């Protein structure tokens, strides 16, 4: 036995000696960052570009001996503290940690960095995005619910919490969102979109998230990367997908790049503030001057939001990979892309196509804030434009019909006002390749609250909810709409994004439980929940065609239809602005209402053998199912 002990001591000494020799031959690494943080085997695109950051790292050469992984190239930029390394990961590459060995001409000893390749989750590429059968709940995390008060501030975060300040940090976080999943499920929502959660470490006004300071890190006041991933997993258990807000156009002035900019062309206008002209139409205007196009795309929103140059090939790849990294890491079902048209449009096509190459059934929705449907339609997938540009986005935010809906509900009825505004707006659907894929919203973090815009009229509000849940669109609701939250009619971000009652332990009212809500709020909450849960499994809404009738005598009506063989299931919707009940004229609708139709009131369950038996109550609405008798 003593001979074996002696043998093991010899082996141990030899290994220790070898480790000492190895350590003396390898220098300590100067690498401070490598992004993406890690990658996966089995991706559709075999290549990944690593941004390596550290003192004079750009003056090194790099090699690897990992099986089936090849370094295709390395690229230097103006700043010697950056090196871009492109790896080719063959299809049969095994997950593991590959060693990147860096050699410097100024040092005789190389240094090494371990980079992890993970295995993709089964079925990742086949994930389904959101569609017309879904209902999206948009929330501002800082203002929704504070599930973990211990993370409200930290030594590294610049802005401290102050709930009394409308534009300050209030403490909402991912844990608060997670705690609300059962509530959102019961309400009938199937997707959650939160404003950005990535680190936004600014000295003030940091809660909104649109001025990122680290694109690979969740802000610690919301949680961390693992917290976010766990939230997505918990949401899936509730039948809820998660949509991430991505910003490709700009970053925050406190982003770590701004302290050591990679390249002179990384930030538009030589990293100096020059404002955008917001002239979004110049991108597609056949008469626009180049100086105006450039001012729109290359201009900054504000001095605290440096505008990124997506024409820089290394930055373009970085941004594409960042989006894919979050989809794969967190398990996302969608992306909402902020200020879509402000980024370079050639890059935007590459970005969307790269994502769809990895996830063919994925959904992205772009924000193009315009009431002009021609401007919005320009960007949608399968749209061939007069200038030859082919749209690539599956979905866009439906600003034209948002404005059409508000006008229809608020204006007095006449030949050119009222319901006709929505009718005409929907008539423009012919210019969209896929109008039913658009996201129609009743409000968002940049608009005044719906109930306030509707003059706090519960009748208008109810009709808005019916329109939102039955029109051929993907509906998106802003948090608090379901309880009639209010704001000034003029834009006031801090007040529009006010705290959701019940999200903080000290709140006297609680929208999650109904405690302290008034009768109108409870009725509004109940109505929306019934509508959302009704539409979940309704094929006429999720897949059906639409026919609408020209507004007449203060009534707007339309039919959503879904065919099964030789029979049709129909949903009839009637909305009236009249102060008195209105009897329906069956002759007007006979082309779509056969004599064999049995009508059932969706909410009351009352049945009718024909439309001539039905009246719309004053300033109200009806939803009727029509099925063969």
């Amino acid at each position: 036995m003593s001979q074996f002990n002696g043998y093991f001591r010899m082996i141990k000494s030899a290994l220790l000696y070898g480790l000492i020799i190895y350590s003396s031959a390898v220098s300590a690494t100067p690498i401070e960052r490598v992004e993406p943080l890690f990658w996966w085997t089995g991706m559709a695109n075999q290549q990944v570009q690593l941004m390596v950051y550290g003192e004079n790292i750009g003056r090194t050469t790099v090699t690897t001996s990992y099986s089936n992984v090849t370094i295709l190239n390395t690229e230097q930029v103006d700043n010697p503290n950056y090196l871009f390394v492109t790896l080719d990961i063959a299809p049969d590459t095994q997950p593991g940690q590959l060693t990147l060995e860096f050699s410097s001409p100024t040092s005789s000893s190389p240094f090494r960095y371990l980079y992890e390749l993970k295995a993709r989750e089964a079925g990742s590429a086949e994930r389904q995005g959101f569609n017309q059968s879904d209902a999206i709940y948009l929330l501002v995390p800082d203002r929704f619910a504070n599930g973990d008060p211990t993370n409200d501030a930290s030594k590294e975060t610049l802005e401290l919490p102050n709930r009394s300040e409308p534009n300050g940090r209030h403490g909402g976080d991912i844990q608060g969102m997670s705690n609300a999943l059962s509530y959102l499920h019961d309400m009938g929502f199937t997707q959650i979109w939160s404003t950005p959660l990535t680190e936004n470490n600014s000295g003030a006004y940091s809660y909104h998230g649109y001025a990122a300071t680290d694109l690979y890190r969740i802000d610690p006041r919301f949680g961390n990367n693992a917290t976010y991933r766990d939230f997505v997993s918990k949401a899936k258990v509730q039948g809820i997908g998660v949509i991430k807000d991505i910003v490709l156009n700009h970053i925050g002035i406190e982003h770590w790049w701004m302290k050591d900019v990679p390249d002179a062309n990384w930030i538009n206008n030589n990293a100096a503030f020059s404002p955008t002209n917001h002239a979004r139409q110049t991108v597609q205007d056949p008469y626009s001057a180049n100086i105006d196009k450039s001012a729109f795309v290359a201009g900054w929103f504000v001095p605290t939001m440096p505008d990124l140059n997506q024409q820089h090939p290394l930055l373009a790849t970085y941004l594409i990979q960042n989006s894919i990294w979050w989809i794969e890491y967190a398990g996302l079902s969608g992306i909402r892309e902020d200020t879509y048209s402000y980024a370079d449009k050639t890059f935007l096509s590459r970005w969307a196509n790269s994502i769809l190459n990895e996830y063919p059934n994925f959904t992205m929705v772009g924000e193009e804030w315009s009431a002009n449907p021609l401007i919005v339609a320009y960007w949608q997938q399968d749209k061939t434009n007069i200038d030859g540009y082919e749209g690539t986005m599956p979905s866009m935010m439906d600003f034209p019909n948002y404005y059409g809906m508000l006008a229809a509900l608020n204006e007095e009825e006449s030949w050119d006002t009222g319901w006709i505004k929505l009718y005409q707006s929907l008539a423009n659907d012919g210019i969209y390749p896929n109008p039913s894929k658009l996201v129609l919203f009743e409000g968002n973090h940049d608009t005044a609250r719906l109930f306030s815009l509707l003059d706090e009229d519960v009748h208008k509000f109810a009709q808005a909810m019916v329109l939102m849940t039955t029109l051929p669109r993907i509906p998106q609701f802003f948090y608090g709409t379901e309880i009639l939250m209010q704001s000034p009619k003029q834009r006031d971000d801090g007040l529009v994004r006010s705290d959701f009652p019940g999200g903080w332990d000290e709140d006297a009212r609680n929208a999650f439980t109904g405690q302290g809500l008034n009768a109108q709020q409870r009725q509004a909450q109940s109505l929306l929940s019934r509508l959302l849960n009704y539409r979940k499994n309704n094929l006429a809404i999720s897949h059906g065609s639409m026919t609408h009738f020209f507004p007449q005598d203060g009534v707007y009506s339309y039919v959503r239809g879904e065919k099964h063989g030789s029979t049709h299931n129909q949903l009839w919707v009637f909305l009236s602005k009249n102060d008195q009940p209105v009897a329906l004229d069956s002759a007007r609708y006979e082309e779509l209402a056969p004599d064999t139709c049995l009508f059932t009131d969706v909410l009351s369950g009352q049945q009718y053998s024909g439309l001539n038996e039905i009246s719309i109550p004053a300033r109200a609405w009806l939803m009727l199912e029509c099925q063969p008798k």
Side-chain angles (χ1 to χ4, degrees), residues 297-577:
V297 174
W300 296 25
F301 264 77
V302 290
T304 56
M305 290 181 174
D307 200 76
L308 297 174
N309 176 21
Q310 299 86 18
Q311 294 183 8
H312 194 301
L314 297 174
L315 175 56
T317 299
Y318 178 98
L319 293 171
I320 291 167
Q321 290 181 168
N322 179 255
S323 297
I324 292 172
W325 189 90
W326 280 109
I327 296 169
E328 191 71 25
Y329 170 74
L332 303 176
S333 66
I335 283 175
R336 180 266 185 182
E337 206 291 307
D338 181 66
T339 57
Y340 187 76
S341 61
Y342 286 78
D344 177 75
K345 70 179 184 180
T346 301
F347 160 78
L348 289 171
S349 289
R350 182 187 164 199
W351 172 79
N353 285 330
S354 296
I355 292 174
L356 293 173
N357 183 47
E358 293 290 351
Y359 314 98
N361 303 314
F362 196 70
T363 309
M364 298 92 74
V365 56
E367 179 199 30
E368 174 58 286
W369 195 333
S370 174
N372 185 344
L374 288 171
I375 292 178
V376 177
Y378 182 84
W379 302 103
Q380 197 180 22
Q381 190 177 42
D382 300 325
K383 176 69 172 177
T384 300
N385 296 289
I386 193 171
D387 62 359
Y389 183 79
E390 295 186 1
T392 52
M393 283 296 275
S395 178
M396 297 296 292
M397 302 302 297
D398 191 359
F399 278 89
N401 275 309
Y402 163 73
Y403 289 114
M405 181 173 65
L406 287 179
L409 291 167
N410 278 328
E411 292 178 357
E412 294 293 330
E413 287 299 299
S414 74
W415 69 274
D416 64 345
T417 59
W419 288 127
I420 188 65
K421 293 293 183 66
L422 182 57
Y423 179 90
Q424 291 174 335
S425 183
L426 287 166
N428 289 322
D429 273 8
I431 68 172
Y432 295 105
N434 297 290
S436 65
K437 291 185 178 181
L438 299 177
V439 174
L440 177 62
F441 58 98
E442 47 72 30
N444 62 34
H445 53 290
D446 293 324
T447 66
R449 288 278 178 179
L450 176 70
F451 192 51
S452 297
L453 291 175
L454 297 180
D455 300 317
E456 301 177 25
D457 187 320
V458 293
H459 300 286
K460 293 180 183 179
F461 175 84
Q463 292 183 341
M465 295 302 97
V466 172
L467 290 167
M468 285 291 301
T469 52
T470 59
L471 286 173
R473 291 294 190 270
I474 303 168
Q476 172 251 293
F477 299 84
F478 191 36
Y479 79 102
T481 291
E482 71 269 32
I483 56 163
L484 308 178
M485 284 178 64
Q486 302 172 37
S487 74
K489 288 187 177 183
Q490 295 72 34
R491 181 167 176 172
D492 187 318
D493 289 348
L495 296 181
V496 164
R497 308 164 189 173
S498 56
D499 296 345
F500 191 72
W504 283 253
D505 289 342
E506 62 269 25
D507 289 355
R509 295 183 303 139
N510 190 325
F512 299 113
T513 65
Q515 176 185 337
L517 299 184
N518 62 38
Q520 280 189 345
Q521 291 175 313
R522 291 195 299 271
Q523 290 167 4
Q525 193 177 44
S526 175
L527 171 63
L528 182 55
S529 179
R530 293 184 69 181
L531 291 171
L532 290 174
N533 282 290
Y534 169 76
R535 79 184 303 278
K536 271 187 177 181
N537 300 307
N538 190 296
L539 294 178
I541 292 177
S542 62
H543 294 83
S545 61
M546 174 169 166
T547 300
H548 64 169
F549 294 83
F550 192 84
Q552 183 173 296
D553 299 326
V555 175
Y556 179 48
S557 55
Y558 52 92
V559 183
R560 301 295 311 280
E562 195 267 337
K563 187 174 182 180
H564 289 288
S566 60
T567 63
H568 290 263
N569 290 330
Q570 296 177 335
L571 176 66
W572 288 71
V573 180
F574 298 90
L575 305 107
S576 173
K577 287 186 176 179

Side-chain angles (χ1 to χ4, degrees), residues 38-296:
F38 47 80
W39 204 247
W40 294 267
T41 60
M43 301 293 282
N45 181 0
Q46 294 181 199
Q47 298 178 14
V48 61
Q49 170 192 286
L50 308 183
M51 171 189 274
V52 185
Y53 177 71
E55 187 174 359
N56 288 321
I57 196 70
R59 295 171 179 165
T60 64
T61 57
V62 57
T63 59
T64 186
S65 59
Y66 196 83
S67 180
N68 297 315
V69 175
T70 305
I71 295 177
L72 289 183
N73 60 61
T74 59
E75 293 188 57
Q76 300 174 339
V77 288
D78 294 345
N79 189 333
N81 294 335
Y82 291 85
L83 183 68
F84 292 84
V85 181
T86 301
L87 305 178
D88 184 84
I89 306 166
D92 52 351
T93 302
Q94 296 299 306
Q97 289 192 326
L98 65 87
T99 299
L100 296 172
E101 183 166 295
F102 295 80
S103 301
S104 170
T106 61
S107 173
S108 59
S109 301
F111 55 88
R112 295 180 172 89
Y113 185 89
L114 294 179
Y115 189 78
E116 185 176 10
L117 295 177
K118 295 179 178 288
R120 295 186 80 179
E121 291 188 10
S124 174
E126 291 76 34
R127 73 185 65 213
Q128 297 294 314
F130 57 90
N131 56 49
Q132 197 182 161
S133 66
D134 285 301
I136 303 169
Y137 192 77
L138 163 61
L139 58 86
V140 179
D142 182 70
R143 305 303 173 84
F144 186 61
N146 189 355
D148 182 8
T150 65
N151 65 16
D152 289 358
S154 70
K155 293 181 180 179
E156 60 183 314
T157 51
L158 299 176
E159 185 177 14
L160 298 176
N162 181 1
R163 200 177 173 200
S164 64
E165 168 54 53
N167 290 313
R169 282 271 177 179
H170 291 191
D173 51 31
I174 295 172
Q175 185 59 54
M177 293 161 56
S178 185
N179 294 345
L181 285 172
S182 294
Y183 165 78
L184 296 175
H185 170 269
D186 293 345
M187 279 293 301
F189 293 103
T190 59
Q191 298 284 335
I192 295 174
W193 155 32
S194 75
T195 53
L197 290 159
T198 43
E199 182 191 271
N200 196 330
N201 196 13
S202 305
Y205 197 60
S206 68
Y207 75 92
H208 63 86
Y210 290 98
T213 54
D214 189 331
L215 294 175
Y216 278 98
R217 187 190 188 199
I218 295 295
D219 194 295
R221 288 163 291 194
F222 294 141
N224 56 42
N225 288 11
T227 311
Y228 182 54
R229 186 178 185 183
D230 289 346
F231 165 71
V232 176
S233 296
K234 292 175 182 176
K236 286 180 181 177
V237 173
Q238 296 276 4
I240 298 174
V242 176
I243 301 167
K244 192 176 193 299
D245 208 326
I246 296 285
V247 186
L248 301 172
N249 180 66
H250 53 267
I251 54 174
I253 197 69
E254 297 296 332
H255 191 285
W256 65 272
W257 283 336
M258 300 306 293
K259 298 171 176 58
D260 197 17
V261 178
D263 190 271
N265 296 319
W266 201 259
I267 307 296
N268 280 322
N269 297 309
N270 297 313
F273 174 66
S274 178
T276 178
N277 58 15
H278 296 290
R280 52 182 45 81
Q281 65 273 14
T282 57
V283 176
Q284 49 195 277
D285 178 2
Y287 309 117
S288 62
N290 288 331
I291 190 172
D292 295 327
K293 293 179 185 178
S294 178
F296 170 62

